[in-house]
């Protein structure tokens, strides 16, 4: 057999393997609700995997490989999760805090610092290890913090810190 055909077969086999999801180097801090979400997603993936596996030869092998990759990711995230206690004190920003701030143009926003897997900027949930999260972490009401962004730095003033959204 020609060497070209051997390499082509190997390339096809490797192409069907999904790329592993990268694991953050940051500590895996999660809120209680973030832990619930991680468990729910892991359970959902297990159920989907069982459904695909039950199909036997009719199973979508790429879908199975993708599910197995995602299951490995969520298993690792669950095994390293460090649940932070609920926010009780609102003197300084911590994971789980809702933070109201104003930028240099007096645009007001409110965000909650959460774990990486729980982050959803569209609803105001910001990864604590993101540039915005790091800028706000540990700040107190009245503090001005510098948000380092690729598009340019912004100064933010912390207006309020609470355990729940306004």
């Amino acid at each position: 057999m020609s060497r070209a055909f051997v390499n082509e077969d190997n390339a096809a086999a490797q192409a069907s393997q999904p790329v592993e999801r990268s694991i953050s180097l940051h500590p895996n801090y999660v809120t209680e609700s973030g832990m619930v979400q991680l468990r729910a997603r892991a359970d959902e993936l297990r159920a989907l995997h069982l459904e695909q596996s039950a199909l036997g030869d009719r199973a979508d092998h790429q879908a199975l490989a993708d599910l197995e990759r995602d299951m490995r990711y969520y298993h690792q995230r669950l095994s390293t999760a460090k649940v932070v206690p609920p926010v009780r004190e609102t003197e300084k920003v911590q994971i789980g805090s809702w933070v109201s701030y104003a930028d240099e143009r007096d645009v007001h926003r409110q965000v909650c610092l959460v774990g990486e897997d729980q982050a959803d900027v569209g609803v105001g949930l910001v990864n604590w290890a993101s540039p915005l999260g790091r800028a706000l972490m540990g700040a107190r009401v009245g503090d001005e913090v510098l948000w380092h962004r690729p598009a340019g730095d912004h100064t933010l003033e912390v207006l309020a810190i609470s355990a729940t959204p306004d």
Side-chain angles (χ1 to χ4, degrees), residues 18-23 41 45 66 69-70 73-74 117:
V19 175
E20 288 298 314
R21 295 181 67 169
S22 62
I23 302 293
R41 182 64 180 143
L45 290 168
D66 291 345
R69 174 209 50 211
D70 291 347
Y73 173 84
Y74 280 95
D117 297 305

Side-chain angles (χ1 to χ4, degrees), residues 78-116:
L78 282 166
S79 69
T80 61
K82 298 174 185 172
V83 179
V84 297
V87 172
R88 300 220 191 288
E89 67 109 336
T90 55
E91 289 185 28
K92 67 179 183 174
V93 177
Q94 57 191 319
I95 297 171
S97 294
W98 283 91
V99 185
S100 296
Y101 66 86
D103 67 13
E104 296 154 335
R105 294 186 213 139
D106 204 33
V107 174
H108 293 238
R109 290 200 167 75
Q110 184 180 49
V111 298
C112 181
L113 299 190
V114 296
E116 294 178 64

